[in-house]
Amino acid sequence: MDNPPDSTAQHKPRIRWHIVLFLAPAVLIYTAVMIYPLFNTLRLALYDQVDQQRVFVGLQNFRELFGDPLWSDQFWNALGNNFWFFAIHMLIQNPLGIALAALLSHPRLRFAALYRSAIFLPTILSFVIVGFAWKLILSPIWGIAPGMLEAVGLKWLYQPWLGKEEYALSALSLISVWQWVGIPMMLIYAALLSIPDEVIEAGEIDGVTGMAAFWKIKLPLIMPSIGIISILTFVANFNAFDLIYAAQGALAGPDFSTDILGTFLYRTFFGFQLQLGDPHMGAAVASAMFAIILIGVCLYLFGIQRRIRRYQL
């Protein structure tokens, strides 16, 4: 008499090897270019070079980075500048992107596609091109900014913005806003177009039109997109390097007034002029940047995003 088939064997999940096969190349590439360098950087931050020998020092590099005036003064200055760089993007770039998206999504606006293309165009330009171009534009010697202001009777407003400590970082932040405002504009524009027409029509029946419709109907519906834009802005700004380096160089002058974590990391890891590169201290700076970004992302995911979902419900 044949034994009945084992029911557990019949319900045993099979490994879908075709899925593993298709995912393997992407996983291997991501591990090679992202995961391994990340953990290797964290490991490198726990060592130091002593008598040409790599020695495990634990958290000593972080103690020096946060507490030794030789390193901490530059680190805290760069961190403060980075927060100011981020604040200008959050307070100017993102609200301006939302306003432009709301304006360009109006059905009666003519040449909307042309305006969208013109605003989005700077985002495809190289950081090097943008940095050098604006440095030439704002130059007090051969720049066109003084002449343009003089032509409209506002020559008295001109200052060598990139050459003064109190203006340089704000000027570079506004240049970055000019370059990247097209990103939040397009994301919010897409979110506005995805709102069902039935919702807008229902609001119009209730008498909610014009700006009231935007504030009471559209804005709550695009809050998830605004949250995504905010966290992308945070991550991008705390990884920023190219524009500052192209416009002000590795020293981020004048007198380190435009120094952010990216330029500080570059000088620390690779060295510059008379400063010798220190890969272990540079890895500590990179680890600190990673921790700051990770904390910011976690605060958004477990704090702000939950509130957005509750607000929508």
Side-chain angles (χ1 to χ4, degrees), residues 102-136:
L103 180 63
L104 295 175
S105 64
H106 196 282
R108 297 182 182 178
L109 180 66
R110 300 178 63 185
F111 308 113
L114 177 63
Y115 300 145
R116 290 198 306 270
S117 301
I119 296 171
F120 190 78
L121 182 62
T123 63
I124 66 176
L125 297 177
S126 167
F127 284 101
V128 178
I129 294 174
V130 172
F132 277 100
W134 276 99
K135 195 169 184 178
L136 290 174

PDB file of all heavy atoms in Angstrom, residues 102-136:
ATOM      1  N   ALA A 102       2.392  75.450  -8.711  1.00  0.00           N
ATOM      2  CA  ALA A 102       0.985  75.831  -8.657  1.00  0.00           C
ATOM      3  C   ALA A 102       0.630  76.788  -9.792  1.00  0.00           C
ATOM      4  O   ALA A 102      -0.439  76.692 -10.402  1.00  0.00           O
ATOM      5  CB  ALA A 102       0.676  76.469  -7.307  1.00  0.00           C
ATOM      6  N   LEU A 103       1.548  77.710 -10.093  1.00  0.00           N
ATOM      7  CA  LEU A 103       1.302  78.666 -11.175  1.00  0.00           C
ATOM      8  C   LEU A 103       1.313  77.983 -12.537  1.00  0.00           C
ATOM      9  O   LEU A 103       0.438  78.217 -13.385  1.00  0.00           O
ATOM     10  CB  LEU A 103       2.355  79.775 -11.127  1.00  0.00           C
ATOM     11  CG  LEU A 103       2.256  80.866 -12.201  1.00  0.00           C
ATOM     12  CD1 LEU A 103       0.943  81.626 -12.050  1.00  0.00           C
ATOM     13  CD2 LEU A 103       3.446  81.813 -12.090  1.00  0.00           C
ATOM     14  N   LEU A 104       2.303  77.107 -12.763  1.00  0.00           N
ATOM     15  CA  LEU A 104       2.435  76.468 -14.067  1.00  0.00           C
ATOM     16  C   LEU A 104       1.385  75.393 -14.318  1.00  0.00           C
ATOM     17  O   LEU A 104       1.187  74.981 -15.456  1.00  0.00           O
ATOM     18  CB  LEU A 104       3.839  75.862 -14.200  1.00  0.00           C
ATOM     19  CG  LEU A 104       4.997  76.864 -14.218  1.00  0.00           C
ATOM     20  CD1 LEU A 104       6.330  76.144 -14.241  1.00  0.00           C
ATOM     21  CD2 LEU A 104       4.882  77.803 -15.410  1.00  0.00           C
ATOM     22  N   SER A 105       0.748  74.915 -13.258  1.00  0.00           N
ATOM     23  CA  SER A 105      -0.311  73.920 -13.433  1.00  0.00           C
ATOM     24  C   SER A 105      -1.670  74.541 -13.717  1.00  0.00           C
ATOM     25  O   SER A 105      -2.646  73.812 -13.933  1.00  0.00           O
ATOM     26  CB  SER A 105      -0.408  73.031 -12.181  1.00  0.00           C
ATOM     27  OG  SER A 105      -0.790  73.806 -11.048  1.00  0.00           O
ATOM     28  N   HIS A 106      -1.734  75.861 -13.730  1.00  0.00           N
ATOM     29  CA  HIS A 106      -3.010  76.525 -14.025  1.00  0.00           C
ATOM     30  C   HIS A 106      -3.395  76.254 -15.479  1.00  0.00           C
ATOM     31  O   HIS A 106      -2.594  76.477 -16.399  1.00  0.00           O
ATOM     32  CB  HIS A 106      -2.890  78.030 -13.782  1.00  0.00           C
ATOM     33  CG  HIS A 106      -4.208  78.716 -13.679  1.00  0.00           C
ATOM     34  ND1 HIS A 106      -4.983  79.030 -14.790  1.00  0.00           N
ATOM     35  CD2 HIS A 106      -4.918  79.145 -12.601  1.00  0.00           C
ATOM     36  CE1 HIS A 106      -6.090  79.626 -14.399  1.00  0.00           C
ATOM     37  NE2 HIS A 106      -6.085  79.709 -13.077  1.00  0.00           N
ATOM     38  N   PRO A 107      -4.591  75.791 -15.720  1.00  0.00           N
ATOM     39  CA  PRO A 107      -4.965  75.395 -17.097  1.00  0.00           C
ATOM     40  C   PRO A 107      -5.011  76.553 -18.081  1.00  0.00           C
ATOM     41  O   PRO A 107      -4.906  76.335 -19.294  1.00  0.00           O
ATOM     42  CB  PRO A 107      -6.347  74.761 -16.914  1.00  0.00           C
ATOM     43  CG  PRO A 107      -6.872  75.314 -15.619  1.00  0.00           C
ATOM     44  CD  PRO A 107      -5.678  75.533 -14.760  1.00  0.00           C
ATOM     45  N   ARG A 108      -5.160  77.776 -17.607  1.00  0.00           N
ATOM     46  CA  ARG A 108      -5.284  78.914 -18.513  1.00  0.00           C
ATOM     47  C   ARG A 108      -3.952  79.594 -18.813  1.00  0.00           C
ATOM     48  O   ARG A 108      -3.916  80.555 -19.589  1.00  0.00           O
ATOM     49  CB  ARG A 108      -6.254  79.936 -17.914  1.00  0.00           C
ATOM     50  CG  ARG A 108      -7.675  79.416 -17.755  1.00  0.00           C
ATOM     51  CD  ARG A 108      -8.585  80.496 -17.199  1.00  0.00           C
ATOM     52  NE  ARG A 108      -9.940  79.982 -17.010  1.00  0.00           N
ATOM     53  CZ  ARG A 108     -10.944  80.710 -16.502  1.00  0.00           C
ATOM     54  NH1 ARG A 108     -10.725  81.973 -16.131  1.00  0.00           N
ATOM     55  NH2 ARG A 108     -12.138  80.173 -16.351  1.00  0.00           N
ATOM     56  N   LEU A 109      -2.863  79.115 -18.207  1.00  0.00           N
ATOM     57  CA  LEU A 109      -1.560  79.732 -18.434  1.00  0.00           C
ATOM     58  C   LEU A 109      -1.031  79.344 -19.810  1.00  0.00           C
ATOM     59  O   LEU A 109      -0.937  78.163 -20.151  1.00  0.00           O
ATOM     60  CB  LEU A 109      -0.567  79.294 -17.350  1.00  0.00           C
ATOM     61  CG  LEU A 109       0.839  79.873 -17.470  1.00  0.00           C
ATOM     62  CD1 LEU A 109       0.811  81.386 -17.249  1.00  0.00           C
ATOM     63  CD2 LEU A 109       1.781  79.210 -16.473  1.00  0.00           C
ATOM     64  N   ARG A 110      -0.655  80.341 -20.605  1.00  0.00           N
ATOM     65  CA  ARG A 110      -0.107  80.089 -21.935  1.00  0.00           C
ATOM     66  C   ARG A 110       1.409  79.893 -21.844  1.00  0.00           C
ATOM     67  O   ARG A 110       2.074  80.438 -20.966  1.00  0.00           O
ATOM     68  CB  ARG A 110      -0.433  81.257 -22.866  1.00  0.00           C
ATOM     69  CG  ARG A 110      -1.928  81.504 -23.053  1.00  0.00           C
ATOM     70  CD  ARG A 110      -2.157  82.703 -23.955  1.00  0.00           C
ATOM     71  NE  ARG A 110      -1.615  82.457 -25.295  1.00  0.00           N
ATOM     72  CZ  ARG A 110      -1.587  83.385 -26.263  1.00  0.00           C
ATOM     73  NH1 ARG A 110      -2.082  84.609 -26.026  1.00  0.00           N
ATOM     74  NH2 ARG A 110      -1.090  83.101 -27.441  1.00  0.00           N
ATOM     75  N   PHE A 111       1.943  79.085 -22.764  1.00  0.00           N
ATOM     76  CA  PHE A 111       3.376  78.804 -22.848  1.00  0.00           C
ATOM     77  C   PHE A 111       3.922  78.186 -21.558  1.00  0.00           C
ATOM     78  O   PHE A 111       5.079  78.397 -21.195  1.00  0.00           O
ATOM     79  CB  PHE A 111       4.170  80.080 -23.171  1.00  0.00           C
ATOM     80  CG  PHE A 111       3.677  80.830 -24.364  1.00  0.00           C
ATOM     81  CD1 PHE A 111       3.101  82.082 -24.214  1.00  0.00           C
ATOM     82  CD2 PHE A 111       3.760  80.275 -25.634  1.00  0.00           C
ATOM     83  CE1 PHE A 111       2.641  82.778 -25.316  1.00  0.00           C
ATOM     84  CE2 PHE A 111       3.293  80.973 -26.745  1.00  0.00           C
ATOM     85  CZ  PHE A 111       2.729  82.222 -26.590  1.00  0.00           C
ATOM     86  N   ALA A 112       3.087  77.401 -20.872  1.00  0.00           N
ATOM     87  CA  ALA A 112       3.521  76.776 -19.625  1.00  0.00           C
ATOM     88  C   ALA A 112       4.686  75.814 -19.855  1.00  0.00           C
ATOM     89  O   ALA A 112       5.612  75.735 -19.049  1.00  0.00           O
ATOM     90  CB  ALA A 112       2.357  76.045 -18.958  1.00  0.00           C
ATOM     91  N   ALA A 113       4.650  75.086 -20.970  1.00  0.00           N
ATOM     92  CA  ALA A 113       5.731  74.140 -21.258  1.00  0.00           C
ATOM     93  C   ALA A 113       7.055  74.863 -21.451  1.00  0.00           C
ATOM     94  O   ALA A 113       8.109  74.372 -21.016  1.00  0.00           O
ATOM     95  CB  ALA A 113       5.381  73.323 -22.500  1.00  0.00           C
ATOM     96  N   LEU A 114       7.035  76.023 -22.081  1.00  0.00           N
ATOM     97  CA  LEU A 114       8.252  76.812 -22.278  1.00  0.00           C
ATOM     98  C   LEU A 114       8.809  77.278 -20.942  1.00  0.00           C
ATOM     99  O   LEU A 114      10.032  77.211 -20.707  1.00  0.00           O
ATOM    100  CB  LEU A 114       7.956  78.002 -23.182  1.00  0.00           C
ATOM    101  CG  LEU A 114       9.118  78.969 -23.421  1.00  0.00           C
ATOM    102  CD1 LEU A 114      10.261  78.258 -24.133  1.00  0.00           C
ATOM    103  CD2 LEU A 114       8.650  80.181 -24.234  1.00  0.00           C
ATOM    104  N   TYR A 115       7.935  77.749 -20.057  1.00  0.00           N
ATOM    105  CA  TYR A 115       8.383  78.209 -18.748  1.00  0.00           C
ATOM    106  C   TYR A 115       8.973  77.054 -17.936  1.00  0.00           C
ATOM    107  O   TYR A 115      10.002  77.212 -17.265  1.00  0.00           O
ATOM    108  CB  TYR A 115       7.218  78.845 -17.980  1.00  0.00           C
ATOM    109  CG  TYR A 115       6.600  80.041 -18.675  1.00  0.00           C
ATOM    110  CD1 TYR A 115       5.232  80.288 -18.597  1.00  0.00           C
ATOM    111  CD2 TYR A 115       7.386  80.918 -19.407  1.00  0.00           C
ATOM    112  CE1 TYR A 115       4.660  81.381 -19.235  1.00  0.00           C
ATOM    113  CE2 TYR A 115       6.825  82.015 -20.047  1.00  0.00           C
ATOM    114  CZ  TYR A 115       5.471  82.239 -19.963  1.00  0.00           C
ATOM    115  OH  TYR A 115       4.917  83.310 -20.596  1.00  0.00           O
ATOM    116  N   ARG A 116       8.327  75.903 -17.977  1.00  0.00           N
ATOM    117  CA  ARG A 116       8.843  74.744 -17.237  1.00  0.00           C
ATOM    118  C   ARG A 116      10.233  74.361 -17.730  1.00  0.00           C
ATOM    119  O   ARG A 116      11.131  74.079 -16.935  1.00  0.00           O
ATOM    120  CB  ARG A 116       7.895  73.556 -17.373  1.00  0.00           C
ATOM    121  CG  ARG A 116       6.584  73.698 -16.644  1.00  0.00           C
ATOM    122  CD  ARG A 116       5.909  72.342 -16.470  1.00  0.00           C
ATOM    123  NE  ARG A 116       5.767  71.643 -17.758  1.00  0.00           N
ATOM    124  CZ  ARG A 116       4.703  71.767 -18.547  1.00  0.00           C
ATOM    125  NH1 ARG A 116       3.704  72.544 -18.191  1.00  0.00           N
ATOM    126  NH2 ARG A 116       4.629  71.088 -19.691  1.00  0.00           N
ATOM    127  N   SER A 117      10.404  74.364 -19.035  1.00  0.00           N
ATOM    128  CA  SER A 117      11.697  73.996 -19.605  1.00  0.00           C
ATOM    129  C   SER A 117      12.776  75.003 -19.209  1.00  0.00           C
ATOM    130  O   SER A 117      13.901  74.617 -18.878  1.00  0.00           O
ATOM    131  CB  SER A 117      11.605  73.905 -21.128  1.00  0.00           C
ATOM    132  OG  SER A 117      10.640  72.943 -21.517  1.00  0.00           O
ATOM    133  N   ALA A 118      12.444  76.285 -19.236  1.00  0.00           N
ATOM    134  CA  ALA A 118      13.421  77.325 -18.899  1.00  0.00           C
ATOM    135  C   ALA A 118      13.840  77.242 -17.432  1.00  0.00           C
ATOM    136  O   ALA A 118      15.014  77.416 -17.099  1.00  0.00           O
ATOM    137  CB  ALA A 118      12.840  78.702 -19.211  1.00  0.00           C
ATOM    138  N   ILE A 119      12.881  76.964 -16.547  1.00  0.00           N
ATOM    139  CA  ILE A 119      13.200  76.880 -15.117  1.00  0.00           C
ATOM    140  C   ILE A 119      13.973  75.609 -14.805  1.00  0.00           C
ATOM    141  O   ILE A 119      14.865  75.601 -13.947  1.00  0.00           O
ATOM    142  CB  ILE A 119      11.903  76.953 -14.287  1.00  0.00           C
ATOM    143  CG1 ILE A 119      11.230  78.318 -14.481  1.00  0.00           C
ATOM    144  CG2 ILE A 119      12.187  76.719 -12.811  1.00  0.00           C
ATOM    145  CD1 ILE A 119       9.846  78.411 -13.875  1.00  0.00           C
ATOM    146  N   PHE A 120      13.665  74.530 -15.507  1.00  0.00           N
ATOM    147  CA  PHE A 120      14.326  73.249 -15.244  1.00  0.00           C
ATOM    148  C   PHE A 120      15.708  73.161 -15.891  1.00  0.00           C
ATOM    149  O   PHE A 120      16.540  72.352 -15.465  1.00  0.00           O
ATOM    150  CB  PHE A 120      13.455  72.101 -15.759  1.00  0.00           C
ATOM    151  CG  PHE A 120      13.921  70.747 -15.334  1.00  0.00           C
ATOM    152  CD1 PHE A 120      13.669  70.281 -14.049  1.00  0.00           C
ATOM    153  CD2 PHE A 120      14.626  69.927 -16.204  1.00  0.00           C
ATOM    154  CE1 PHE A 120      14.098  69.039 -13.637  1.00  0.00           C
ATOM    155  CE2 PHE A 120      15.053  68.665 -15.809  1.00  0.00           C
ATOM    156  CZ  PHE A 120      14.794  68.229 -14.521  1.00  0.00           C
ATOM    157  N   LEU A 121      15.978  73.993 -16.887  1.00  0.00           N
ATOM    158  CA  LEU A 121      17.229  73.919 -17.643  1.00  0.00           C
ATOM    159  C   LEU A 121      18.484  73.993 -16.765  1.00  0.00           C
ATOM    160  O   LEU A 121      19.437  73.224 -16.986  1.00  0.00           O
ATOM    161  CB  LEU A 121      17.258  75.014 -18.712  1.00  0.00           C
ATOM    162  CG  LEU A 121      18.487  75.046 -19.630  1.00  0.00           C
ATOM    163  CD1 LEU A 121      18.573  73.755 -20.440  1.00  0.00           C
ATOM    164  CD2 LEU A 121      18.437  76.259 -20.560  1.00  0.00           C
ATOM    165  N   PRO A 122      18.574  74.887 -15.762  1.00  0.00           N
ATOM    166  CA  PRO A 122      19.818  74.947 -14.966  1.00  0.00           C
ATOM    167  C   PRO A 122      20.161  73.650 -14.243  1.00  0.00           C
ATOM    168  O   PRO A 122      21.332  73.419 -13.923  1.00  0.00           O
ATOM    169  CB  PRO A 122      19.533  76.083 -13.967  1.00  0.00           C
ATOM    170  CG  PRO A 122      18.515  76.941 -14.637  1.00  0.00           C
ATOM    171  CD  PRO A 122      17.658  75.987 -15.414  1.00  0.00           C
ATOM    172  N   THR A 123      19.180  72.794 -13.977  1.00  0.00           N
ATOM    173  CA  THR A 123      19.471  71.564 -13.234  1.00  0.00           C
ATOM    174  C   THR A 123      20.324  70.589 -14.032  1.00  0.00           C
ATOM    175  O   THR A 123      20.950  69.700 -13.444  1.00  0.00           O
ATOM    176  CB  THR A 123      18.168  70.858 -12.822  1.00  0.00           C
ATOM    177  OG1 THR A 123      17.450  70.465 -13.997  1.00  0.00           O
ATOM    178  CG2 THR A 123      17.302  71.786 -11.989  1.00  0.00           C
ATOM    179  N   ILE A 124      20.359  70.731 -15.351  1.00  0.00           N
ATOM    180  CA  ILE A 124      21.157  69.814 -16.160  1.00  0.00           C
ATOM    181  C   ILE A 124      22.558  70.360 -16.412  1.00  0.00           C
ATOM    182  O   ILE A 124      23.369  69.700 -17.059  1.00  0.00           O
ATOM    183  CB  ILE A 124      20.469  69.504 -17.508  1.00  0.00           C
ATOM    184  CG1 ILE A 124      20.397  70.750 -18.386  1.00  0.00           C
ATOM    185  CG2 ILE A 124      19.076  68.940 -17.275  1.00  0.00           C
ATOM    186  CD1 ILE A 124      19.816  70.496 -19.771  1.00  0.00           C
ATOM    187  N   LEU A 125      22.852  71.558 -15.915  1.00  0.00           N
ATOM    188  CA  LEU A 125      24.176  72.139 -16.091  1.00  0.00           C
ATOM    189  C   LEU A 125      25.151  71.561 -15.081  1.00  0.00           C
ATOM    190  O   LEU A 125      24.781  71.179 -13.974  1.00  0.00           O
ATOM    191  CB  LEU A 125      24.114  73.662 -15.934  1.00  0.00           C
ATOM    192  CG  LEU A 125      23.265  74.427 -16.953  1.00  0.00           C
ATOM    193  CD1 LEU A 125      23.263  75.903 -16.617  1.00  0.00           C
ATOM    194  CD2 LEU A 125      23.765  74.199 -18.366  1.00  0.00           C
ATOM    195  N   SER A 126      26.407  71.543 -15.448  1.00  0.00           N
ATOM    196  CA  SER A 126      27.460  71.057 -14.550  1.00  0.00           C
ATOM    197  C   SER A 126      27.689  72.039 -13.408  1.00  0.00           C
ATOM    198  O   SER A 126      27.556  73.262 -13.582  1.00  0.00           O
ATOM    199  CB  SER A 126      28.750  70.861 -15.339  1.00  0.00           C
ATOM    200  OG  SER A 126      29.854  70.692 -14.482  1.00  0.00           O
ATOM    201  N   PHE A 127      28.044  71.499 -12.234  1.00  0.00           N
ATOM    202  CA  PHE A 127      28.388  72.359 -11.103  1.00  0.00           C
ATOM    203  C   PHE A 127      29.545  73.290 -11.447  1.00  0.00           C
ATOM    204  O   PHE A 127      29.572  74.453 -11.026  1.00  0.00           O
ATOM    205  CB  PHE A 127      28.782  71.506  -9.894  1.00  0.00           C
ATOM    206  CG  PHE A 127      27.633  70.874  -9.190  1.00  0.00           C
ATOM    207  CD1 PHE A 127      27.319  69.552  -9.397  1.00  0.00           C
ATOM    208  CD2 PHE A 127      26.866  71.605  -8.305  1.00  0.00           C
ATOM    209  CE1 PHE A 127      26.260  68.954  -8.738  1.00  0.00           C
ATOM    210  CE2 PHE A 127      25.802  71.028  -7.633  1.00  0.00           C
ATOM    211  CZ  PHE A 127      25.496  69.706  -7.858  1.00  0.00           C
ATOM    212  N   VAL A 128      30.502  72.777 -12.195  1.00  0.00           N
ATOM    213  CA  VAL A 128      31.676  73.578 -12.553  1.00  0.00           C
ATOM    214  C   VAL A 128      31.263  74.762 -13.417  1.00  0.00           C
ATOM    215  O   VAL A 128      31.705  75.898 -13.199  1.00  0.00           O
ATOM    216  CB  VAL A 128      32.709  72.700 -13.281  1.00  0.00           C
ATOM    217  CG1 VAL A 128      33.913  73.544 -13.712  1.00  0.00           C
ATOM    218  CG2 VAL A 128      33.165  71.553 -12.392  1.00  0.00           C
ATOM    219  N   ILE A 129      30.390  74.512 -14.383  1.00  0.00           N
ATOM    220  CA  ILE A 129      29.912  75.590 -15.242  1.00  0.00           C
ATOM    221  C   ILE A 129      29.155  76.634 -14.429  1.00  0.00           C
ATOM    222  O   ILE A 129      29.383  77.843 -14.562  1.00  0.00           O
ATOM    223  CB  ILE A 129      29.013  75.020 -16.357  1.00  0.00           C
ATOM    224  CG1 ILE A 129      29.835  74.131 -17.293  1.00  0.00           C
ATOM    225  CG2 ILE A 129      28.334  76.139 -17.139  1.00  0.00           C
ATOM    226  CD1 ILE A 129      29.013  73.415 -18.339  1.00  0.00           C
ATOM    227  N   VAL A 130      28.252  76.174 -13.560  1.00  0.00           N
ATOM    228  CA  VAL A 130      27.463  77.105 -12.747  1.00  0.00           C
ATOM    229  C   VAL A 130      28.359  77.907 -11.814  1.00  0.00           C
ATOM    230  O   VAL A 130      28.224  79.135 -11.688  1.00  0.00           O
ATOM    231  CB  VAL A 130      26.398  76.330 -11.938  1.00  0.00           C
ATOM    232  CG1 VAL A 130      25.701  77.249 -10.947  1.00  0.00           C
ATOM    233  CG2 VAL A 130      25.384  75.692 -12.875  1.00  0.00           C
ATOM    234  N   GLY A 131      29.309  77.235 -11.148  1.00  0.00           N
ATOM    235  CA  GLY A 131      30.186  77.926 -10.210  1.00  0.00           C
ATOM    236  C   GLY A 131      31.023  78.996 -10.874  1.00  0.00           C
ATOM    237  O   GLY A 131      31.075  80.145 -10.406  1.00  0.00           O
ATOM    238  N   PHE A 132      31.684  78.657 -11.979  1.00  0.00           N
ATOM    239  CA  PHE A 132      32.535  79.627 -12.653  1.00  0.00           C
ATOM    240  C   PHE A 132      31.717  80.714 -13.328  1.00  0.00           C
ATOM    241  O   PHE A 132      32.134  81.881 -13.362  1.00  0.00           O
ATOM    242  CB  PHE A 132      33.427  78.922 -13.669  1.00  0.00           C
ATOM    243  CG  PHE A 132      34.665  78.314 -13.061  1.00  0.00           C
ATOM    244  CD1 PHE A 132      34.720  76.959 -12.774  1.00  0.00           C
ATOM    245  CD2 PHE A 132      35.770  79.096 -12.744  1.00  0.00           C
ATOM    246  CE1 PHE A 132      35.841  76.398 -12.200  1.00  0.00           C
ATOM    247  CE2 PHE A 132      36.907  78.541 -12.177  1.00  0.00           C
ATOM    248  CZ  PHE A 132      36.953  77.190 -11.900  1.00  0.00           C
ATOM    249  N   ALA A 133      30.568  80.357 -13.886  1.00  0.00           N
ATOM    250  CA  ALA A 133      29.735  81.359 -14.551  1.00  0.00           C
ATOM    251  C   ALA A 133      29.264  82.423 -13.562  1.00  0.00           C
ATOM    252  O   ALA A 133      29.369  83.631 -13.840  1.00  0.00           O
ATOM    253  CB  ALA A 133      28.547  80.680 -15.229  1.00  0.00           C
ATOM    254  N   TRP A 134      28.757  81.992 -12.414  1.00  0.00           N
ATOM    255  CA  TRP A 134      28.275  82.964 -11.444  1.00  0.00           C
ATOM    256  C   TRP A 134      29.422  83.740 -10.793  1.00  0.00           C
ATOM    257  O   TRP A 134      29.260  84.900 -10.400  1.00  0.00           O
ATOM    258  CB  TRP A 134      27.430  82.274 -10.376  1.00  0.00           C
ATOM    259  CG  TRP A 134      26.022  82.103 -10.814  1.00  0.00           C
ATOM    260  CD1 TRP A 134      25.439  80.988 -11.332  1.00  0.00           C
ATOM    261  CD2 TRP A 134      25.004  83.101 -10.795  1.00  0.00           C
ATOM    262  NE1 TRP A 134      24.130  81.220 -11.639  1.00  0.00           N
ATOM    263  CE2 TRP A 134      23.829  82.517 -11.316  1.00  0.00           C
ATOM    264  CE3 TRP A 134      24.964  84.435 -10.400  1.00  0.00           C
ATOM    265  CZ2 TRP A 134      22.644  83.220 -11.441  1.00  0.00           C
ATOM    266  CZ3 TRP A 134      23.779  85.149 -10.514  1.00  0.00           C
ATOM    267  CH2 TRP A 134      22.633  84.536 -11.039  1.00  0.00           C
ATOM    268  N   LYS A 135      30.588  83.113 -10.693  1.00  0.00           N
ATOM    269  CA  LYS A 135      31.750  83.839 -10.173  1.00  0.00           C
ATOM    270  C   LYS A 135      32.129  84.975 -11.119  1.00  0.00           C
ATOM    271  O   LYS A 135      32.498  86.076 -10.686  1.00  0.00           O
ATOM    272  CB  LYS A 135      32.920  82.878  -9.984  1.00  0.00           C
ATOM    273  CG  LYS A 135      34.044  83.448  -9.121  1.00  0.00           C
ATOM    274  CD  LYS A 135      35.047  82.379  -8.749  1.00  0.00           C
ATOM    275  CE  LYS A 135      36.109  82.951  -7.803  1.00  0.00           C
ATOM    276  NZ  LYS A 135      37.072  81.913  -7.380  1.00  0.00           N
ATOM    277  N   LEU A 136      32.029  84.722 -12.420  1.00  0.00           N
ATOM    278  CA  LEU A 136      32.294  85.772 -13.400  1.00  0.00           C
ATOM    279  C   LEU A 136      31.199  86.837 -13.376  1.00  0.00           C
ATOM    280  O   LEU A 136      31.483  88.035 -13.468  1.00  0.00           O
ATOM    281  CB  LEU A 136      32.401  85.156 -14.798  1.00  0.00           C
ATOM    282  CG  LEU A 136      33.632  84.289 -15.077  1.00  0.00           C
ATOM    283  CD1 LEU A 136      33.521  83.634 -16.436  1.00  0.00           C
ATOM    284  CD2 LEU A 136      34.908  85.116 -14.980  1.00  0.00           C
TER     285      LEU A 136
END
